[in-house]
Amino acid sequence: MKDKRYYTHGLVVALMVVVGILTSTTAHAQHTLTLTGGTGVSTSRFYPAEKTKWLWGAETFGISWRYYSEKPRFVGAMGIDLEYMERGFHLGYTYTSEIVDDKEIRHYQYYTRRINTVMLPLVWQPHIYAAKNRLRIFIEAAFVLSYNVSSSYEYENDRYPAGKYEWKIPRDNRFGYGLSAGAGFAVLLGQVEVGFKAKYNFGY
């Protein structure tokens, strides 16, 4: 692989289950502790530009803390997440071509990288309540710090060996940062919540 600058971005959908609430589940002030798990897609954009495609089945799971203040409600919740996230990309490293109707059609073979990352999003969550305060609808925005724990690679059609990616300094930087935005809902069932959210991550 050539040394190149790139950033990663992806879309994740996740199921949320709140396992602990310190106060009421109505619209009063409360702390929540949430387990999350989901899957998504990921890719990277390279400079100079390269042929890439989405990596599907990028798993994620983690734990979230939120504080919902009683007043003023329009400020929204503040919180922090600790997540494991699989990121990566498919990169076209070679191709064959053919001419069809005077146009070149390229058929790529792909190099795949999977990057296991620990994410630390610092979250702001505006929200509203519905259904007699039993439904919370929210959007989220976050500044994200990340650390790449490990990585693996493989080539399509087993043309070259697959294996563990060796991190090298200064080419590789394990630490990163980025932004995240998403939306979702949570159904409040006594001292338990169950919800769903989708978010988009963009990071260097």
Side-chain angles (χ1 to χ4, degrees):
M1 284 294 298
K2 299 179 181 179
D3 296 351
K4 292 181 179 290
R5 292 177 57 244
Y6 67 92
Y7 65 82
T8 60
H9 56 108
L11 177 68
V12 173
V13 294
L15 176 70
M16 308 179 301
V17 178
V18 176
V19 296
I21 301 177
L22 302 185
T23 60
S24 170
T25 56
T26 63
H28 300 298
Q30 60 181 335
H31 299 266
T32 66
L33 191 62
T34 310
L35 298 178
T36 62
T39 188
V41 294
S42 176
T43 192
S44 295
R45 183 171 297 179
F46 288 80
Y47 295 97
E50 295 281 1
K51 175 67 174 180
T52 59
K53 66 178 184 179
W54 291 94
L55 175 67
W56 290 82
E59 297 179 352
T60 181
F61 58 85
I63 189 169
S64 299
W65 170 80
R66 296 287 184 273
Y67 173 69
Y68 295 91
S69 61
E70 183 176 4
K71 294 180 180 180
R73 289 177 58 185
F74 63 84
V75 174
M78 306 297 293
I80 188 169
D81 298 343
L82 181 62
E83 300 175 328
Y84 160 84
M85 184 175 293
E86 184 181 64
R87 302 189 293 175
F89 54 85
H90 295 296
L91 171 67
Y93 69 94
T94 188
Y95 65 88
T96 58
S97 62
E98 60 177 334
I99 303 300
V100 178
D101 296 330
D102 295 326
K103 295 182 180 180
E104 183 186 21
I105 305 298
R106 294 183 176 182
H107 305 281
Y108 283 88
Q109 292 187 2
Y110 288 90
Y111 163 90
T112 300
R113 275 278 303 281
R114 298 180 184 274
I115 305 168
N116 301 314
T117 305
V118 174
M119 314 283 284
L120 190 69
L122 307 175
V123 182
W124 175 50
Q125 188 197 88
H127 58 276
I128 60 173
Y129 289 94
K132 297 182 179 180
N133 293 326
R134 296 302 177 182
L135 176 66
R136 181 188 295 121
I137 303 169
F138 61 85
I139 59 175
E140 288 187 343
F143 173 72
V144 183
L145 300 174
S146 64
Y147 180 77
N148 296 321
V149 178
S150 62
S151 181
S152 62
Y153 67 91
E154 61 185 69
Y155 289 85
E156 190 174 6
N157 299 327
D158 299 324
R159 181 173 180 177
Y160 300 106
K164 179 180 178 181
Y165 181 80
E166 298 295 334
W167 298 91
K168 296 181 180 180
I169 299 176
R171 182 190 68 185
D172 298 314
N173 183 7
R174 289 180 181 263
F175 292 94
Y177 62 93
L179 299 173
S180 176
F185 66 88
V187 179
L188 285 65
L189 305 171
Q191 294 296 312
V192 176
E193 296 180 15
V194 178
F196 177 87
K197 70 177 177 179
K199 66 178 180 177
Y200 179 83
N201 295 294
F202 174 93
Y204 288 91

